[in-house]
């Protein structure tokens, strides 16, 4: 984790504003998909909705063609954790839990975000798990904001606070090996942000650093396997999973959650930069 071993891209405030524009496109695509989720809707239908929103905004889907990925979103249902490939044959059913991961590039800058939502009447325990994942994501983002403001923040402070938030909420599996990442002119950059770990390690959290924070948790074991399609990651014990994500950028006076319509203000208050209107 020594800094010289990583390729860290620090952005100017003006570049972060460009990332904000891409982030708002992603937010709009996720909002459109959330409104469309219902029994009888296929994951291919949701993919088409997202791609239209992205392209209508003058942006390009980040995922489509990425290392050969065939779609504009990842749609992961129930035991699928991440990287599910949308399909006309995968039709949502009452009670399913679906994670929708979406990315867009606009003027060469990326936004990346994910939500987990229930389909129709959904088991409250599953909806609670999705809330736990979201609360943990915000706990990690808040830790990053505090770290840049006090000048003492380190990379794994994010990981530690994500894990602590989840552990306080109940007995959930925290998926290992997958996590958040740097983001900017490429969708995936250094550093890798685990969703667990001890604090005070890794690179310094400093202005100009942009990260995608994305907890992934399960109702059972944290162990996963990748399917033969080379993309879809599922829980080994077939337990249901949840995945949420936001892109954030650190500035001198706080954090800007570039994929949240309000910049993160409702969840973070004064930790959000004054640049955010």
């Amino acid at each position: 984790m020594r800094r010289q071993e990583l390729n860290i891209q620090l952005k100017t405030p003006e570049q972060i504003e460009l990332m904000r524009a891409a982030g708002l496109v992603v937010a709009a695509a996720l909002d459109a998909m959330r409104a469309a989720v219902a029994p009888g809707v296929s994951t291919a239908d949701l993919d088409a909705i997202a791609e239209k929103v992205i392209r209508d905004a003058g942006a390009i889907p980040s995922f489509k063609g990425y290392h050969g990925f065939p779609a504009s979103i990842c749609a992961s249902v129930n035991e699928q954790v991440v990287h599910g490939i949308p399909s006309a044959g995968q039709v949502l059913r009452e009670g399913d839990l679906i994670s929708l991961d979406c990315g867009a590039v606009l003027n060469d800058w990326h936004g990346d975000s994910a939500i987990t939502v229930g389909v129709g009447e959904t088991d409250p325990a599953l909806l609670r798990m999705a809330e736990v994942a979201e609360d943990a994501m915000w706990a990690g983002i808040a830790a990053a904001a505090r770290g840049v403001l006090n000048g003492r923040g380190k990379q794994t402070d994010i990981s530690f606070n994500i894990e602590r938030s989840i552990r306080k909420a109940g007995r959930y599996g925290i998926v290992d090996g997958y996590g958040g990442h740097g983001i900017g002119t490429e969708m995936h950059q250094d550093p890798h942000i685990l969703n667990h770990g001890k604090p005070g390690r890794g690179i310094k959290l400093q202005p100009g650093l942009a990260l995608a924070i994305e907890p992934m948790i399960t109702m059972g074991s944290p162990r996963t396997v990748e399917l033969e399609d080379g993309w879809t990651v599922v829980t080994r014990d077939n337990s249901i999973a949840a995945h949420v994500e936001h892109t954030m950028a650190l500035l001198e006076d706080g954090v800007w959650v570039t994929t949240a319509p309000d910049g993160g203000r409702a969840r973070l208050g004064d930790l959000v930069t004054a640049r955010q209107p």
Side-chain angles (χ1 to χ4, degrees):
M1 283 191 174
R2 294 192 300 274
R3 192 183 193 288
Q4 59 265 34
E5 295 176 344
L6 301 177
N7 181 20
I8 304 298
Q9 183 188 66
L10 298 179
K11 289 81 173 171
T12 67
E14 293 71 27
Q15 290 170 334
I16 291 171
E17 289 186 3
L18 293 173
M19 291 188 67
R20 169 62 163 170
L24 289 176
V25 173
V26 173
L30 288 170
D31 282 347
M33 286 189 287
R34 185 196 298 272
V37 166
V41 174
S42 75
T43 53
D45 294 333
L46 297 174
D47 181 70
I49 289 169
E51 181 164 2
K52 185 177 188 308
V53 171
I54 292 168
R55 296 196 184 277
D56 284 353
I60 299 169
S62 300
F63 298 177
K64 199 162 193 176
Y66 182 76
H67 295 295
F69 190 76
S72 296
I73 65 166
C74 297
S76 305
V77 181
N78 294 334
E79 76 280 0
Q80 298 172 348
V81 183
V82 286
H83 305 159
I85 300 173
S87 166
Q90 186 171 45
V91 177
L92 298 179
R93 299 172 299 177
E94 190 88 13
D96 283 343
L97 194 72
I98 182 169
S99 298
L100 298 164
D101 191 357
C102 181
V105 55
L106 180 65
N107 297 320
D108 299 324
W109 293 93
H110 286 259
D112 190 6
S113 185
I115 58 175
T116 293
V117 296
V119 181
E121 291 294 326
T122 308
D123 185 341
L126 299 183
L127 298 179
R128 173 59 185 156
M129 176 178 61
E131 290 178 0
V132 168
E134 186 165 358
D135 288 345
M137 174 186 65
W138 286 109
I141 294 172
R146 291 192 298 269
V148 78
L149 288 170
N150 64 31
R152 299 190 300 272
K154 290 293 189 74
Q155 172 184 337
T156 62
D157 296 347
I158 300 171
S159 308
F160 172 78
N161 280 276
I162 290 172
E163 179 179 11
R164 182 169 64 175
S165 179
I166 295 167
R167 299 296 186 208
K168 285 182 176 179
R171 296 178 61 86
Y172 298 97
I174 302 177
V175 175
D176 195 14
Y178 299 91
H181 51 87
I183 184 171
T185 52
E186 297 85 30
M187 183 166 57
H188 292 108
Q189 298 178 331
D190 292 331
H192 181 60
I193 307 294
L194 291 173
N195 291 312
H196 57 85
K198 296 181 179 180
R201 300 179 179 180
I203 67 166
K204 181 180 180 180
L205 298 177
Q206 57 186 304
L209 186 64
L211 303 169
I213 307 302
E214 49 181 322
M216 304 162 204
I217 63 176
T218 76
M219 292 292 287
S221 169
R223 300 183 68 189
T224 61
V225 295
E226 186 178 270
L227 298 185
E228 292 183 0
D229 63 19
W231 287 102
T232 308
V233 176
V234 302
T235 55
R236 187 179 292 273
D237 63 359
N238 290 318
S239 61
I240 308 299
H243 169 217
V244 296
E245 177 182 17
H246 265 312
T247 297
M248 68 165 193
L250 298 175
L251 289 100
E252 294 282 354
D253 63 341
V255 65
W256 197 350
V257 184
T258 57
T259 49
D262 71 345
R265 184 74 67 188
R267 295 295 298 252
L268 302 174
D270 290 342
L271 292 175
V272 173
T273 174
R275 292 182 71 94
Q276 161 63 25

